[in-house]
Structures are given as structure tokens and as C-alpha cells.
Amino acid sequence: MAPTTPQEPGLNAVPSYEEEQAQARFDALIDKDSRVEPRDWMPAPYRKTLTRQVSQHAHSEIIGMQPEANWITRAPSLKRKSILMAKVQDEAGHGLYLYSAAETLGTPRDELNEQLLTGRAKYSSIFNYPARSWADMGAIGWLVDGAAIANQVPLCRASYGPYGRAMVRICKEESFHQRQGFEILLSLSRGTEAQKKMAQDAVNRFYEPSLMMFGPPDDQSPNSKQSMAWNIKRFSNDELRQRFVGMIAEQVKVLGLTLPDPELRFDEEKKQWIHKDLNWDEFMAVIKGNGPVNAQRLERRREAHREGAWVREAAAAYAAKQAQSEVA
Amino acid sequence: MSQSNWPLWEVFVRSSRGLSHVHAGSLHAPDAEMAVRNARDLYTRRNEGVSLWVVKSSDIISSDPDEKDAFFESPQGKDYRHATYYKASEGVKHL
């Protein structure tokens, strides 16, 4: 008999009959493309992957409020101001839908929040780029929300029920975000020379980061395969990036602007879009916390959390007092 | 006191008169009144509802997912409870 080697606890144990049965039920659900619900048994790595993905997604929505919130006071008209406020409220709402979905996997809200505030959790690297001009509100809506939609539409069919349901709600609301961004750019593009230049500059800065939102190329994305096997992810990073770049290549013509990519073309033979090489070193650096405004974004989030403490305390104290007087 | 003391509430939305309340999602709130207000802000930003229910998640009693096969076994094999079971009447009008 081979000598026993120490392994991680729990991993070397022979699965019990019940575990085998539960695994078989889970596999059958995935096989027939059905949905897994919170109280179903699920393999620990599935739960962990989803908790990470859904909570990172929630954090991204919450941090994503900042670049646009910064522009509310400087929006060029009352109408634009109202639209921007509605959009920022939506991002907050999306964050909350997703936190609720993440919580059904067993991690409490406070812990998820703590992971963000302490900088242990990741969020989409795109929000670590500054929004320098009003045209950036347009580029963010058109390119960043556009890429998010391309990513999120297939997630509506994710195998985990609460995640899919949250995504359905989010996707319905995101389409307004993308259209309003497109309209901002269109107005600027049809405006003065300076306005058109501002629009083009914003598109130039957000083009590459938005393409990188789909994640590393397929051959460098080790977790994708498992996520696809679990029906969480439906298309690979490169497939989604292809789809997106094809859409914006057409849309940019309507805007009367250009994409900052001289190599961009559709290869008729390979039936795919060729775009310039993306700067993945920069992507990794931004993810690791070295983007232009990582520190600023996190500090703003911590500050908002601190400043809201008295509201949370007052609400809890009021609730406790009401509960007491009901008993009395 | 932190948010961890705030209970979880399930939110049900009636989208228009004549329809049932349908589960929309959940949220944390310190008390029932705040739960209803937060539910309005979170789940009805685009006229999605004309009425809201909130209920503490801990107050919901549900069937056991592990027993679902046995628990829902009784209607299985009882096709005769569906109109489609009755073939002889096919083609007869208004039936």
C-alpha cells in the first residue's frame, strides 16, 4: 500500500454516500441546463467561485458610482444632471441586487462589505481610470456600459438562479445607460470643433480599457473553462470581446468619430475581428492596485462608509426603541 | 451598532392591479417601515409596482429541498388531472 501523504483537510476524505448522491443531483441539474437554487447542495468550489464573482461584480457597481457622481454637479444642464443621478442610483441598486444574490451563497453582507473596504476584494479595473472631462460620461456610458452589457446578457442564463435573476433586472436597466452615453457623444460630436475633439479624446482613452473589461485572452484565463463547464459563463472572454468590438466598430461611424486602433479590421477568412494588441501588463498592474486612481476610489468608499455610520446607528437605535415599545 | 444587526427582508411587488405580488429580491433594513421605503427605492425605480410586501426572511417557512422528490411525488403519474389527458373529445368544438 502506498504511504499516505498529507493533503488538505476534507479533500482526501472519501465522499460519503450522501455526498455522492448530492453531487450526482448537482451534475444532473447542470447537464440539463437547469438552475441551482440557494438551498440546493452545491460543490464547495462552485460556491466559492460564485461568491467571488458575484461579490466582485457588486463591488464594481458600488465603486462604479464614483466616476459619474463626480460629474453630477458639473453636468451641463438640469436634464443631464437628472439623467446622471438616475444612473448613479441604478449603479447603487445593481450593487444591492448583487450583494443579495451573493448573500444567498452564505457570506453575510457585512463580510462582503469589509472585503471591499479593506482592499482585499477586487472590482472591475475600469473604475480605476479617472473621468477627466464631460465627454468621459459619454464614453463611459457607450463603451464601459456597452462592454458590461455584452458581458452581462449571457449571465442572465447563469446556472445559479439568484445571480441570473439579478442580471435580468440589471440588463434591463443598463440599456438606458449605454444609450444616454451614446447621445452625450453624439451631441458633442455634432457641436463645436472643441466639443468634437473632447469626445474623440474620451473615446481614445476608454477604448482599450473597455476591451480589457472582458478579461485576459482565453489562453491566459485558467478559470474560464471551469466556469463554462458549470454554465456560469456562456462565452469565452475573446468571443465576447469580438462581439463587442464588432458592434462599436459600426456605432462609431454614426458618432462621426474614430476608434484609436489602426489595426482594427474584419478578417473575412478567419471570420473574426482583428484589433491591436492590448496592454495586459497595464491591466494586471491596475487590478493589483496600481491604476491611476485605485487609492482615491477606495478612500472615497471608506469615507462614505464612515460618514454614513451615524445614519445606520440612528436607524438601528430607532428600530430597537420601536420594538421595545411594542412589547411594553 | 453595525448593519449586521439589520435583518434581511424579502420583497414582493405587485406590478399592476389584478396581478399577484411576485418575489423581487431581498434587502437589509433596521425595521419594517424602512424595509418598505428601501424596497420602493430599490425595486420600483421605474414604475414596476403599485403595491409592496416585505417579510422578514427568517419568518418564511419553506419545503425541504432535499425532500423535493418525495414531497412532490403525489401529482406525478396523475395525468388525468390535466385536460390534455382526455383525447376522445379532440376536434369537438367549445370543449
Side-chain angles (χ1 to χ4, degrees), chain A residues 218-256:
Chain A
D218 293 348
D219 52 8
Q220 294 161 43
S221 178
N223 300 328
S224 284
K225 217 173 164 188
Q226 179 61 74
S227 280
M228 288 177 79
W230 277 328
N231 292 344
I232 298 172
K233 223 175 142 68
R234 299 286 179 166
F235 301 98
S236 77
N237 296 353
D238 286 331
E239 282 174 320
L240 292 168
R241 189 167 13 248
Q242 278 281 315
R243 195 177 294 180
F244 176 66
V245 85
M247 287 190 285
I248 59 170
E250 288 305 311
Q251 292 166 354
V252 77
K253 294 177 191 164
V254 182
L255 287 175

Side-chain angles (χ1 to χ4, degrees), chain A residues 168-186:
Chain A
V168 168
R169 202 172 280 279
I170 289 171
C171 285
K172 270 188 207 160
E173 299 179 354
E174 286 281 355
S175 54
F176 132 62
H177 297 185
Q178 196 188 13
R179 283 188 180 203
Q180 67 86 33
F182 189 86
E183 279 198 23
I184 289 174
L185 289 177
L186 195 61

Side-chain angles (χ1 to χ4, degrees), chain B residues 5-70:
Chain B
N5 299 321
W6 290 9
L8 188 67
W9 304 77
E10 299 299 325
V11 179
F12 299 81
V13 180
R14 185 201 292 284
S15 56
S16 71
R17 290 182 168 277
L19 297 177
S20 315
H21 287 76
V22 174
H23 185 238
S26 56
L27 53 79
H28 286 275
D31 57 36
E33 194 188 335
M34 286 302 291
V36 171
R37 281 170 181 266
N38 290 354
R40 178 200 58 189
D41 293 345
L42 189 55
Y43 291 105
T44 64
R45 286 195 303 283
R46 288 178 175 77
N47 291 322
E48 289 96 336
V50 295
S51 164
L52 282 170
W53 287 348
V54 296
V55 57
K56 270 189 195 162
S57 308
S58 57
D59 286 344
I60 289 182
I61 293 143
S62 66
S63 57
D64 183 346
D66 294 334
E67 278 181 17
K68 65 175 182 293
D69 295 341

Side-chain angles (χ1 to χ4, degrees), chain A residues 28-39:
Chain A
L29 281 180
I30 299 296
D31 273 351
K32 63 181 178 197
D33 202 358
S34 183
R35 297 292 178 267
V36 178
E37 293 295 343
R39 295 181 68 207

